[in-house]
């Protein structure tokens, strides 16, 4: 059985990145450890000056986020107290990579959920710490303390350099690259897949799950592709940190069909009624976990 490496260009403050969560959950369900993920933080903004120059306000950004609800992830319809840049949150992810690598993905997830479902300002260390409290077993104080350490900053700057190498790439050809601060960069959530033979394929920016699945199928036909589960409990067992409703619906959808959110919701509510799962409210939706 083969393996495919996945370079995942991500930023916790990008609503497109966050909205791709159901598709990314499907990939993790189907291919499990046959996909070897490596996160590269983008660093969309070092400070809020660029946002302010373009007329963004907390209210405008909260209203803009409503557009993304159609993709199924929960969004809080409330402006945060101030504009927030993404650099410190990205460095918290990098700090986790250096201190506690197995929890890097969970930290990215926790920061995304905080960014889009709470009013926390994630360029403030106290708010970052509060967001990371949902990551079980993480030494939150150590991660926050490491945000300004030279090793963290150097690794973060390397991430930024890797991100800003999209000139001439398939991502740029498809119109999915961005040039917000100089060099042409990969947008979030760009995925670059590479097989053992060195063949490299790109899915730049926000893409439907069919694109990812087709690239993987063409890279390695020896992979085991796990079918969709018939019961939400199977999905929740694979994701003990929890899934939102749309992620459950996406994982339960056979062969890249259209997710049936209503059916997934009904199944989850039934399981909640018999005590098999627990529900934690989250903005206009919820996180579901095994009881």
């Amino acid at each position: 059985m083969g393996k495919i490496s996945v370079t995942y260009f991500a930023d916790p403050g990008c609503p497109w990145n966050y909205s791709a969560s159901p598709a990314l959950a499907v990939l993790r369900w189907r291919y499990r450890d046959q996909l070897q993920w490596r996160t590269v933080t983008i660093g969309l903004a070092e400070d809020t000056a660029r946002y302010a120059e373009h007329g963004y306000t907390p209210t405008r950004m909260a209203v803009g986020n409503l557009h993304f609800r159609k993709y199924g992830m929960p969004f809080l319809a409330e402006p945060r107290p101030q504009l927030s840049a993404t650099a410190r949150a990205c460095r918290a992810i990098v700090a986790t990579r250096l201190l506690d690598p197995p929890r890097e993905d969970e930290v990215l997830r926790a920061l995304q959920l905080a960014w889009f479902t709470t009013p926390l300002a994630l360029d403030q260390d106290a708010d970052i710490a509060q967001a990371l409290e949902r990551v079980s077993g993480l030494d939150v104080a150590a991660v926050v303390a490491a945000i300004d350490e030279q090793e963290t900053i150097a690794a973060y700057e390397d991430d930024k350099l890797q991100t800003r190498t999209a000139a001439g790439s398939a991502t740029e050809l498809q119109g999915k690259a961005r040039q917000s601060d100089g060099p042409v960069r990969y947008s979030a959530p760009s995925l670059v897949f590479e097989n053992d033979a060195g063949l490299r394929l790109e899915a730049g920016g926000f893409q439907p799950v069919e694109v990812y699945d087709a690239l993987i199928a063409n890279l390695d036909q020896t992979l085991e592709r796990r079918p969709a589960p018939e019961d939400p409990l199977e999905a929740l067992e694979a994701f003990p940190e929890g899934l939102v409703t749309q992620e459950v619906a996406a994982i339960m959808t056979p062969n890249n069909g259209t997710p049936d959110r209503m059916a997934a919701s009904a199944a989850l509510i039934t399981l909640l009624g018999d005590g098999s799962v627990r529900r934690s409210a989250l903005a206009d939706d919820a996180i579901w976990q095994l009881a």
Side-chain angles (χ1 to χ4, degrees), residues 134-220:
R134 72 165 52 244
V135 182
S136 178
L138 181 70
D139 188 339
V140 174
V143 169
V144 173
I147 287 174
D148 289 320
E149 290 184 358
Q150 287 305 308
E151 186 179 8
T152 302
I153 293 170
Y156 168 63
E157 291 297 329
D158 184 63
D159 276 18
K160 289 176 63 181
L161 287 174
Q162 292 180 57
T163 299
R164 288 153 178 81
T165 59
S169 67
T171 296
E172 184 181 31
L173 177 64
Q174 200 181 11
K176 295 284 191 173
R178 298 291 180 265
Q179 196 169 6
S180 57
D181 55 8
V184 179
R185 64 168 175 79
Y186 288 98
S187 58
S190 292
L191 301 185
V192 178
F193 301 92
E194 188 170 355
N195 66 12
D196 291 339
L199 179 60
R200 171 187 167 107
L201 298 175
E202 296 187 6
F206 183 83
Q207 300 276 2
V209 69
E210 299 96 308
V211 170
Y212 304 136
D213 202 40
L215 295 185
I216 291 169
N218 278 277
L219 278 172
D220 193 336

Side-chain angles (χ1 to χ4, degrees), residues 57-248:
T57 65
T59 299
R60 180 181 170 187
M61 296 186 86
V63 171
N65 283 342
L66 295 180
H67 162 80
F68 292 92
R69 279 188 174 179
K70 66 185 178 183
Y71 299 112
M73 293 297 289
F75 282 88
L76 181 69
E78 177 184 330
R80 56 174 36 90
Q82 62 206 47
L83 290 172
S84 292
T86 69
R88 294 193 74 77
C90 286
R91 279 156 53 188
I93 296 166
V94 173
T96 306
R97 182 193 308 160
L98 297 174
L99 295 171
D100 194 355
R103 289 188 168 86
E104 182 181 10
D105 290 339
E106 293 178 67
V107 165
L108 169 58
R109 166 90 165 173
L111 291 169
Q112 287 178 310
L113 292 175
W115 201 292
F116 294 107
T117 69
T118 79
L120 294 175
L122 295 182
D123 52 5
Q124 305 296 315
D125 288 359
D127 286 6
I128 291 174
Q130 186 175 336
L132 297 187
E133 289 297 336
R134 72 165 52 244
V135 182
S136 178
L138 181 70
D139 188 339
V140 174
V143 169
V144 173
I147 287 174
D148 289 320
E149 290 184 358
Q150 287 305 308
E151 186 179 8
T152 302
I153 293 170
Y156 168 63
E157 291 297 329
D158 184 63
D159 276 18
K160 289 176 63 181
L161 287 174
Q162 292 180 57
T163 299
R164 288 153 178 81
T165 59
S169 67
T171 296
E172 184 181 31
L173 177 64
Q174 200 181 11
K176 295 284 191 173
R178 298 291 180 265
Q179 196 169 6
S180 57
D181 55 8
V184 179
R185 64 168 175 79
Y186 288 98
S187 58
S190 292
L191 301 185
V192 178
F193 301 92
E194 188 170 355
N195 66 12
D196 291 339
L199 179 60
R200 171 187 167 107
L201 298 175
E202 296 187 6
F206 183 83
Q207 300 276 2
V209 69
E210 299 96 308
V211 170
Y212 304 136
D213 202 40
L215 295 185
I216 291 169
N218 278 277
L219 278 172
D220 193 336
Q221 294 80 50
T222 70
L223 299 183
E224 178 186 338
R225 187 175 184 271
R226 181 161 56 167
E230 296 182 359
D231 189 320
L233 287 177
E234 294 181 66
L236 295 177
E237 286 171 0
F239 295 86
E241 71 278 9
L243 296 166
V244 303
T245 305
Q246 188 69 19
E247 291 171 323
V248 174

